[in-house]
Amino acid sequence: MEEKKKILEVRNVSTSYTRKSPLGKTKIQHVLHDVSFDLYEGEALGLVGESGSGKTTLARAILGFLPKYEGTITHYSEHPQVVFQDPYTALNPARSVAWILEEPLKILKKYDAAERRKRIISMLERVGLDESYLERKPSQLSGGQRQRVSIAAALLMEPRFIVADEPVSALDVTIQAQILKLLAEMKAQFGLSYLFISHDMNVVYQLCDRVIVMRKGIVVEEGEIDQIFENPKHPYTKELVEASV
Amino acid sequence: MKKLFAKHNNWFFKVGLILTACMVGIVIIGQFWTPYDPNAMNGAVKGQGPSLQHLMGTDYFGRDIFSRILEGAGATLLIAFFVVLLGAGLGTLIGALTGYFGGVIDEILMRICDALTAFPSVLLALIVLAILGPGRLNVIGVLALVFIPSFARIVRAEFARIKKLNYVSLAKLQGVGHFRIMLKHILPNTLPVLLPAISIGFNNAVLAEASMSFLGVGVSASDVSLGRMLSDSQNYILRGMPWYAVFVGLTIALLILGFSLLGEGLQQED
Amino acid sequence: MNFVLKKLTTLLITLLILSFLAYAAFEMVGDPVPLILGTHATPEAAAALREELGLTRSLPVRYFDWLLSFIRGDMGTSYIYRISVREMIGTKLGLTVTLTLFGFALTLLFSIPLGVYSARREGSWADRVLTVSNQIIMAIPAFFVGIILTVLFGVLLRLFTPGSFVSFSESPGQFLLYMLFPALSIAIPRTAMTAKMLRSSILGEMQKDYVRTAYSRGHNRQTALKAHALKNSLLPIIAFLASTVAEMLAGCIVIEQIFSLPGIGRLLMVSISNRDIPVVEAIVMILAVWVMVVHFIGEVVSEMLDPRLRV
């Protein structure tokens, strides 16, 4: 672990919003409170917490979608790619799979049209689809197939680091297992790092090396996956682990 | 086209499309061939009723009304085309920019749009045309201007909604530039609301041109258009020749009905 | 009430801006002096007239002067007829208002029963026929309805004489009969639109939880509809009805022309072609006030019925 390269460093990140209660008093709502952690090369870090724990806000901050927060987020690799939770809004409904996958490559301007097509087809095959899906629209794909296309789109950018925000929670159990397997294979094949966000300890256990448990914007526990599962210290972690068995 | 049919397999869409296609088709043919020269006066057939020789009768100068309607409808449709082209084009541009970027300019522009859309567009166009004076170009310019806010509003709402969706976030992460995102990623997804709005736009443009020219502030007195003919034909009603007005009115009504049904059909799925 | 005050302020500011723009635009249209005196007038006579009309002062000064007089009810003097604009507009405005309100009343009278009936019998033959015919009728322009009514009831059935308007003072009965046809012309397309909106609004409301609860508690469909849905489904209609009154006013301009009614719309068109700017300005202002006030009333009424809209 010591000699591994850092991919991401999150230090003392806090964010909050003020809202007016019906009685006219302003309340400060903490979404993230003093969150710090590191992510290393080749590591899959699970970020676990119930909805409202601030994990998606943290992911948005890391991806650069959050306009305002305190603390620092430092990337040591190129910008991360992302796989979203809802496979129904992650792919442009007006475009074909081929267009969706080619667009980022066009932006990169690294390859000519023939090379782009070759790469797209080979990537589709790697995520368990094939050439016949090229001309389909997202509406003609199942949830699992959409998520495969999303993963392919992320991987085509050749990232070292992928943020996956609940990538399997909208899928049923058998498809979940397939997608998790695919993510694990891709990690091994490309030496990727994952920040894997989930509310489900079980899912995290299948993929991650290390876990951060968040509750109400605060990191309550952090540790190796086995240690967290066998010997959870915080009562909230215990609750999550027990719920998953 | 095939996809549009599959998606909008409803009564309104089919009838609207057929009606619009027929009307526009006849009018286009009328630009190249009419039964008679629309301006040829024939003293022998002054003010006649509909007959096999003159399907819609003749006016006091012995001109063939059907031929004149074909010519007038062409002018009206051409005006409507440019009105929609300009109105929808500029409206989409403004709506896209304000919806995507938001901010203070968005606030101000939308306030102006709200104030303008509260005002009946025919009234607004009438007042501005009264200032500018009649003429084809004025009609096109003023109506396009009056139509911009309604297009800007719906396009803005769509852009504001879609820009928050994951696939747009993803495109930003992939390094796609703002203008490419707007043009290639968001715009195609606004078509389900833009197409019906364009169809309704044609409906409104034909109606507005007819109303303006009927009231005498539209095309100039020497131009032909359905609105001008409507105003001419009014005198014929009282002199026992109501069919002239009925045919002109019917042409306008059928054109509008086609676009209106098409717009309704495009809004309804399956 | 805070809301009403806020809306009222917005209304006044919008009217102020609108009135200035309209005034400035019309003042720039052209010099009325050659129009009044003809092209052969001596420079002295022109200068004297200019002085008399107050054209020597700057535009903002003239605007504020005009605005203050307008608020006091003095709308200036016609360039052409040299009589007070207020006098010219007086009875004509009354006629247009009567026509609009007549048309609006007819719209309400027909559209509410049709919309409710259609929603109640959703999916039935009657509902389908109504839905399709509404869609067609709402696309028919008011002036075409006017032409058809004129030909049908004026030329063929001779129920009224097209082109010879009878004023209320001449014969109230004949006046109402004559007004019925233009009022129908503006009411018929709007009735179809309103009935369509009401139907979908009621059906949307019937889908909501509280109606379903009432339904499952053993109320039959009719009572559930009457008790809960109608009031709530009228809410979105109110804003639409406000725009109806505004649109009808615009529609009146064309309809007055078709039926030769001496209303404010005809006066507007005549004054435009005469370049009689004071009359045009006054009418435009009246129309603007009308439209803005109608929308204001619509907003306040929906606000009172539904406090949820308050932001």
Side-chain angles (χ1 to χ4, degrees):
Chain A
M1 205 71 188
E2 301 77 56
E3 67 265 32
K4 276 200 170 168
K5 245 179 84 185
K6 245 188 221 173
I7 286 277
L8 173 74
E9 185 182 278
V10 175
R11 284 291 173 272
N12 312 102
V13 168
S14 298
T15 177
S16 59
Y17 64 91
T18 51
R19 73 163 184 206
K20 276 204 171 127
S21 72
L23 294 169
K25 287 180 185 167
T26 49
K27 254 173 95 179
I28 295 175
Q29 195 85 21
H30 287 283
V31 185
L32 294 173
H33 191 75
D34 202 18
V35 176
S36 299
F37 65 87
D38 294 321
L39 175 70
Y40 297 94
E41 198 172 59
E43 182 187 39
L45 177 63
L47 186 58
V48 188
E50 61 198 356
S51 65
S53 60
K55 51 193 186 344
T56 297
T57 308
L58 185 58
R60 283 169 52 79
I62 290 167
L63 290 168
F65 294 152
L66 202 65
K68 237 175 87 179
Y69 58 84
E70 291 153 41
T72 55
I73 294 174
T74 318
H75 290 274
Y76 292 99
S77 72
E78 276 170 34
H79 211 287
Q81 287 303 308
V82 63
V83 178
F84 284 109
Q85 167 178 15
D86 180 7
Y88 292 88
T89 59
L91 303 177
N92 194 331
R95 297 298 192 174
S96 66
V97 169
W99 190 91
I100 290 169
L101 294 179
E102 195 177 6
E103 178 73 357
L105 294 180
K106 274 188 189 155
I107 301 299
L108 277 181
K109 288 183 177 150
K110 268 206 227 164
Y111 315 105
D112 60 20
E115 173 68 13
R116 287 199 296 261
R117 193 177 160 83
K118 218 178 86 190
R119 284 180 168 258
I120 288 166
I121 292 169
S122 105
M123 188 57 79
L124 271 181
E125 281 162 359
R126 281 193 195 175
V127 299
L129 302 171
D130 58 52
E131 219 174 317
S132 68
Y133 288 86
L134 278 178
E135 289 318 311
R136 293 205 199 176
K137 290 272 175 72
S139 59
Q140 297 163 302
L141 300 176
S142 69
Q145 287 167 341
R146 285 170 199 234
Q147 217 52 316
R148 285 173 194 272
V149 174
S150 294
I151 292 169
L155 290 175
L156 275 168
M157 295 293 283
E158 299 171 13
R160 311 244 322 265
F161 168 28
I162 289 181
V163 175
D165 184 2
E166 303 257 12
V168 296
S169 57
L171 307 172
D172 61 43
V173 183
T174 41
I175 312 290
Q176 268 192 7
Q178 290 171 13
I179 297 293
L180 285 171
K181 190 167 158 261
L182 174 68
L183 285 169
E185 282 168 16
M186 294 298 122
K187 176 175 171 253
Q189 205 171 344
F190 296 101
L192 293 169
S193 307
Y194 287 141
L195 179 66
F196 188 89
I197 297 167
S198 180
H199 65 280
D200 187 346
M201 267 295 190
N202 243 329
V203 168
V204 171
Y205 186 71
Q206 290 177 56
L207 186 75
C208 297
D209 312 309
R210 213 151 54 86
V211 188
I212 291 175
V213 182
M214 276 183 77
R215 191 184 185 203
K216 291 180 180 161
I218 298 168
V219 175
V220 295
E221 194 164 353
E222 181 180 355
E224 300 293 317
I225 187 83
D226 295 329
Q227 174 222 320
I228 294 272
F229 253 77
E230 280 153 28
N231 188 16
K233 292 196 177 70
H234 195 276
Y236 180 63
T237 318
K238 274 182 196 156
E239 226 177 274
L240 285 177
V241 170
E242 272 157 27
S244 72
V245 196
Chain B
M1 207 64 208
K2 217 188 237 171
K3 272 184 223 149
L4 270 181
F5 258 109
K7 205 174 162 195
H8 306 285
N9 189 20
N10 61 55
W11 185 91
F12 293 126
F13 179 72
K14 283 183 211 161
V15 176
L17 191 68
I18 292 168
L19 184 57
T20 306
C22 288
M23 292 301 289
V24 174
I26 292 170
V27 172
I28 290 176
I29 292 170
Q31 300 312 295
F32 303 101
W33 175 85
T34 46
Y36 295 87
D37 176 354
N39 297 311
M41 301 183 196
N42 182 353
V45 289
K46 280 182 186 172
Q48 284 190 346
S51 66
L52 279 178
Q53 280 75 42
H54 297 279
L55 286 175
M56 298 182 180
T58 57
D59 64 10
Y60 290 142
F61 304 100
R63 296 177 297 193
D64 181 51
I65 292 176
F66 180 53
S67 303
R68 290 184 67 74
I69 282 185
L70 283 177
E71 198 191 8
T76 296
L77 271 184
L78 197 68
I79 290 174
F81 175 78
F82 283 112
V83 167
V84 173
L85 188 74
L86 284 172
L90 292 173
T92 302
L93 185 69
I94 293 170
L97 289 172
T98 56
Y100 186 80
F101 291 110
V104 189
I105 296 174
D106 173 45
E107 275 289 313
I108 297 170
L109 276 176
M110 282 309 123
R111 280 288 153 93
I112 297 175
C113 278
D114 282 344
L116 283 178
T117 37
F119 225 72
S121 52
V122 169
L123 205 56
L124 207 60
L126 183 81
I127 295 165
V128 185
L129 273 172
I131 297 168
L132 291 178
R136 273 184 202 208
L137 286 180
N138 285 355
V139 172
I140 291 173
V142 169
L143 290 183
L145 206 65
V146 167
F147 280 20
I148 287 173
S150 62
F151 282 104
R153 253 177 130 173
I154 57 162
V155 172
R156 179 194 169 273
E158 282 294 283
F159 267 72
R161 179 181 69 83
I162 294 171
K163 76 168 178 188
K164 294 192 190 116
L165 295 181
N166 283 335
Y167 61 83
V168 176
S169 305
L170 203 64
K172 283 183 193 159
L173 265 190
Q174 290 165 345
V176 185
H178 288 308
F179 290 97
R180 193 174 166 90
I181 288 183
M182 291 164 74
L183 193 67
K184 299 247 173 172
H185 293 248
I186 303 184
L187 193 61
N189 287 294
T190 63
L191 285 183
V193 298
L194 203 52
L195 284 183
I198 286 173
S199 194
I200 301 296
F202 267 99
N203 167 95
N204 291 337
V206 170
L207 182 61
E209 187 285 319
S211 304
M212 293 303 107
S213 302
F214 172 73
L215 291 173
V217 293
V219 300
S220 50
S222 55
D223 284 331
V224 212
S225 91
L226 290 176
R228 276 227 64 84
M229 294 182 72
L230 194 68
S231 119
D232 288 345
S233 67
Q234 251 219 305
N235 304 321
Y236 289 70
I237 298 182
L238 301 181
R239 297 185 205 168
M241 283 182 59
W243 57 83
Y244 187 4
V246 171
F247 284 129
V248 177
L250 194 65
T251 310
I252 299 171
L254 285 178
L255 273 173
I256 289 177
L257 183 62
F259 289 122
S260 154
L261 291 178
L262 194 59
E264 179 68 22
L266 283 167
Q267 275 169 8
Q268 294 180 3
E269 299 205 347
D270 76 0
Chain C
M1 276 310 107
N2 204 353
F3 162 83
V4 176
L5 220 65
K6 222 173 172 179
K7 284 278 168 194
L8 203 62
T9 324
T10 326
L11 173 88
L12 287 176
I13 294 173
T14 317
L15 273 178
L16 208 63
I17 297 172
L18 214 68
S19 65
F20 179 72
L21 289 179
Y23 187 85
F26 282 117
E27 290 300 302
M28 279 185 282
V29 167
D31 191 355
V33 172
L35 200 75
I36 299 170
L37 294 179
T39 40
H40 303 294
T42 60
E44 292 76 33
L49 184 65
R50 223 174 276 274
E51 191 68 44
E52 189 198 327
L53 295 174
L55 294 176
T56 44
R57 296 168 304 156
S58 74
L59 182 69
V61 173
R62 272 189 284 152
Y63 167 69
F64 278 110
D65 200 38
W66 171 79
L67 186 69
L68 287 177
S69 320
F70 189 87
I71 293 167
R72 284 198 306 267
D74 172 12
M75 300 172 185
T77 311
S78 156
Y79 284 164
I80 308 294
Y81 301 102
R82 313 307 292 269
I83 54 169
S84 123
V85 174
R86 192 183 164 151
E87 212 170 292
M88 286 177 76
I89 289 177
T91 53
K92 298 194 163 68
L93 181 63
L95 184 75
T96 304
V97 171
T98 311
L99 178 57
T100 309
L101 292 182
F102 199 177
F104 186 63
L106 289 175
T107 305
L108 286 184
L109 190 69
F110 296 130
S111 64
I112 293 179
L114 281 175
V116 172
Y117 179 82
S118 203
R120 217 183 252 179
R121 300 281 159 87
E122 190 204 351
S124 70
W125 254 102
D127 174 40
R128 274 186 221 169
V129 170
L130 276 175
T131 304
V132 169
S133 49
N134 277 344
Q135 196 65 42
I136 293 173
I137 290 168
M138 63 186 255
I140 297 176
F143 59 73
F144 187 57
V145 181
I147 290 172
I148 297 294
L149 291 180
T150 306
V151 172
L152 223 59
F153 296 102
V155 177
L156 296 178
L157 297 174
R158 297 188 185 282
L159 279 180
F160 72 106
T161 319
S164 33
F165 167 73
V166 187
S167 73
F168 185 79
S169 50
E170 283 172 69
S171 159
Q174 291 228 297
F175 168 75
L176 277 181
L177 182 68
Y178 194 93
M179 291 294 275
L180 177 66
F181 299 100
L184 272 176
S185 310
I186 52 175
I188 286 173
R190 275 280 155 177
T191 299
M193 273 181 232
T194 315
K196 182 193 169 187
M197 278 204 70
L198 191 60
R199 175 186 179 273
S200 65
S201 179
I202 292 175
L203 289 178
E205 205 60 38
M206 295 291 290
Q207 295 298 313
K208 287 194 182 154
D209 288 341
Y210 72 96
V211 184
R212 291 186 160 187
T213 316
Y215 201 14
S216 65
R217 276 198 209 121
H219 288 62
N220 63 30
R221 198 176 168 86
Q222 254 87 348
T223 6
L225 184 102
K226 273 181 194 148
H228 300 280
L230 190 59
K231 189 196 140 205
N232 281 338
S233 51
L234 279 172
L235 264 177
I237 303 290
I238 290 169
F240 178 76
L241 287 179
S243 72
T244 295
V245 179
E247 294 279 348
M248 275 186 172
L249 185 70
C252 277
I253 300 175
V254 181
I255 289 300
E256 282 172 11
Q257 209 78 6
I258 295 258
F259 286 92
S260 318
L261 291 175
I264 206 174
R266 280 200 72 143
L267 181 63
L268 176 66
M269 297 323 297
V270 171
S271 306
I272 284 174
S273 60
N274 283 345
R275 301 263 136 192
D276 199 348
I277 303 299
V279 185
V280 178
E281 276 165 355
I283 295 177
V284 167
M285 258 325 268
I286 290 170
L287 296 180
V289 170
W290 173 304
V291 170
M292 303 305 284
V293 166
V294 162
H295 279 288
F296 170 72
I297 293 173
E299 279 175 355
V300 171
V301 171
S302 10
E303 170 70 17
M304 282 172 168
L305 289 176
D306 186 8
R308 277 174 305 173
L309 288 176
R310 217 168 296 192
V311 187

